[in-house]
Amino acid sequence: MGSSQKASLFSDLADIPLDPHYALKESFRADTHPDKVILGSGLYRDDDSQPWVLPSVEKAEKIGKKTEDSGRYEYLPISGLESFVSAARTVLFGPLDGKENRVVSLQTVSGTGANFLGAQFLAKTLKPSAVWLSNPSWVNHANIWGLAGINVKTYPYWDAKNKRLDFERMISKLETAAPGDVVLLHACAHNPTGVDPTKSQWESVADVCERRGLFPFFDCAYQGFASGDLAEDAWAVRHFLKRDTLEMAVAQSFSKNMGLYGERVGALHLLCGTAKAAMKARGHLSRFQRGQVSQPPRAGARLAATILSDPELFQDWLLDLRKMSGRVEKMRKALYDELIALRTPGQWDHIVSQIGMFSYTGLTPEQVASIQENSHVYLLKSGRISVAGLNSRNVVYVAHAFDAAVRKHPF
């Protein structure tokens, strides 16, 4: 820049704070305390607090090396690796029973990319007056839909007083949504609360969507990781599919359930009312995909396709899922048992009734600050923890940290 130019064209931009999840990581890295613990990251860790490469993934990697060819770095089609897209669709929906030509599926840059592609597509095509997000929701949801230019509204979800799903108020609020609005739903292991609707409650949500003419958009980031059962974790999505009264979209991710975090493996699926509409939608989605990434990445999709398509590897993967979900469930129980043994003031049953990687503990911001300052245990201000950050060596320490903070700063 020349010396005569006094300011930047970007000088008037508003300051954007660092995402709270990444800010927490930065604070944790800077802490030199030997007993520090981080419970914020949405990453699975083994009992030694180390990243865990799934054995099924390691086997798929070896198979991939044996079958590598000169085209392994070639561009994929705009819609992605077909063997992956097809297998991912089957894992999510199960048998489509004649609806195959009404489902449009594209490989995306993980679940984030699927959410983004879906938001951009719906903003330009359906032009909804609003998208309805649960309060709270994954922090990136509001960012993604806001960037798409869609008005973001919220429906009640977490009952802070009773530490459960605020279902009655959730349904009541959704009844006020305008026809054509998008309602974003977490297929399983709700992030950040870990609280899911029951099957009968899911049926009621579908009823509201039908009555109000809403467009369901599922975010499915934890299939198989939540309960260890692929079909159980896909129940809500499959219920909406079976009713066949609504068009819908599903953003699917394999970051968590295959541990492919950095490979960014995901898919977007759009169920249309007719095959003709699906064909048109495919063209528009492909145009958006072309404008954003041109073609999705190949390596992670090949790994996922190998696992999903090989019967033996698929069974290995199911064992991996049960191991991960089982360890998380064990850590929930261990934390709960320690808090009960300490007679920590408050109710803690919700820790073991919640599901998946995250738990809304009910801790207040004041208590969270005390835990971080005095015990060097890092969690989000909301009180949400990643249960996967607990292990057999730190769970007692964490429970004592919670107990001390609750006694110092009562509810």
Side-chain angles (χ1 to χ4, degrees):
M1 291 175 57
S3 59
S4 61
Q5 191 167 350
K6 297 180 180 179
S8 167
L9 296 171
F10 309 108
S11 296
D12 294 332
L13 288 177
D15 291 325
I16 301 295
L18 184 65
D19 182 293
H21 299 76
Y22 293 95
L24 193 72
K25 291 179 183 178
E26 292 298 322
S27 298
F28 176 76
R29 288 193 189 100
D31 192 337
T32 59
H33 194 276
D35 296 323
K36 66 179 182 177
V37 178
I38 186 165
L39 301 176
S41 301
L43 301 165
Y44 180 80
R45 293 291 182 258
D46 63 18
D47 200 51
D48 294 316
S49 293
Q50 296 301 310
W52 190 58
V53 179
L54 276 63
S56 56
V57 171
E58 289 187 319
K59 290 181 181 179
E61 288 174 334
K62 292 177 182 178
I63 291 173
K65 289 185 182 300
K66 291 179 181 179
T67 58
E68 283 180 351
D69 55 56
S70 60
R72 63 185 179 273
Y73 297 124
E74 293 291 297
Y75 289 126
L76 289 175
I78 292 174
S79 59
L81 184 66
E82 178 53 35
S83 57
F84 162 70
V85 172
S86 176
R89 182 171 55 238
T90 299
V91 163
L92 175 66
F93 291 115
L96 283 168
D97 299 326
K99 302 181 185 71
E100 292 84 356
N101 61 355
R102 291 168 46 200
V103 178
V104 183
S105 300
L106 282 81
Q107 181 187 335
T108 59
V109 184
S110 201
T112 301
N115 274 275
F116 192 84
L117 180 62
Q120 295 288 327
F121 169 74
L122 294 176
K124 299 297 191 297
T125 55
L126 293 189
K127 297 180 173 62
S129 67
V131 59
W132 293 81
L133 308 181
S134 63
N135 183 21
S137 191
W138 178 43
V139 67
N140 211 15
H141 280 148
N143 183 38
I144 289 169
W145 290 87
L147 288 172
I150 300 178
N151 184 29
V152 176
K153 296 184 178 181
T154 62
Y155 56 87
Y157 195 86
W158 171 249
D159 180 345
K161 180 180 179 180
N162 298 298
K163 298 179 178 60
R164 62 176 177 83
L165 175 63
D166 196 351
F167 185 69
E168 293 75 16
R169 291 182 63 228
M170 171 185 175
I171 292 297
S172 178
K173 178 59 74 171
L174 289 179
E175 290 280 11
T176 70
D181 280 0
V182 175
V183 56
L184 196 144
L185 304 164
H186 299 229
C188 63
H190 181 273
N191 179 6
T193 68
V195 177
D196 287 348
T198 64
K199 291 177 180 178
S200 63
Q201 288 172 335
W202 273 123
E203 291 173 351
S204 296
V205 172
D207 290 341
V208 173
C209 289
E210 288 178 5
R211 280 197 304 274
R212 300 297 303 166
L214 306 180
F215 186 91
F217 191 110
F218 282 95
D219 191 346
C220 186
Y222 299 95
Q223 186 186 3
F225 188 98
S227 69
D229 186 315
L230 291 169
E232 182 68 18
D233 293 346
W235 190 91
V237 171
R238 295 180 183 184
H239 175 72
F240 276 65
L241 175 73
K242 183 178 179 180
R243 289 172 77 125
D244 201 18
T245 54
L246 294 160
E247 296 177 297
M248 66 175 179
V250 186
Q252 182 184 27
S253 170
F254 288 89
S255 291
K256 304 296 191 299
N257 59 15
M258 284 190 180
L260 297 173
Y261 304 101
E263 294 294 341
R264 316 309 293 144
V265 184
L268 175 68
H269 308 278
L270 178 71
L271 173 66
C272 300
T274 67
K276 184 176 180 179
M279 187 177 299
K280 290 183 177 181
R282 176 178 292 278
H284 285 265
L285 281 166
S286 297
R287 180 175 176 235
F288 282 112
Q289 177 100 308
R290 174 66 167 150
Q292 290 170 17
V293 299
S294 279
Q295 296 88 9
R298 177 185 288 268
R302 285 187 66 183
L303 287 173
T306 300
I307 293 168
L308 296 174
S309 304
D310 183 293
E312 184 176 337
L313 273 184
F314 187 82
Q315 291 303 315
D316 288 343
W317 179 50
L318 296 182
L319 292 175
D320 293 341
L321 287 171
R322 286 195 282 273
K323 182 173 182 176
M324 289 191 293
S325 61
R327 198 189 84 76
V328 169
E329 185 177 2
K330 182 180 178 181
M331 287 301 102
R332 284 185 179 277
K333 181 68 163 52
L335 177 60
Y336 169 78
D337 286 347
E338 289 295 336
L339 291 171
I340 296 302
L342 290 168
R343 299 176 183 251
T344 304
Q347 295 295 320
W348 303 101
D349 292 353
H350 57 285
I351 289 177
V352 288
S353 66
Q354 294 165 353
I355 191 170
M357 183 178 287
F358 302 114
S359 171
Y360 240 42
T361 60
L363 293 167
T364 67
E366 189 177 29
Q367 291 164 348
V368 169
S370 177
I371 289 167
Q372 182 170 321
E373 179 182 356
N374 298 307
S375 302
H376 304 269
V377 176
Y378 290 78
L379 58 153
L380 293 173
K381 187 184 296 185
S382 63
R384 189 212 77 167
I385 65 170
S386 173
V387 184
L390 296 171
N391 58 55
S392 58
R393 281 171 294 284
N394 68 22
V395 67
V396 173
Y397 178 78
V398 169
H400 278 81
F402 284 15
D403 181 78
V406 168
R407 294 182 188 279
K408 185 175 181 180
H409 305 283
F411 289 108

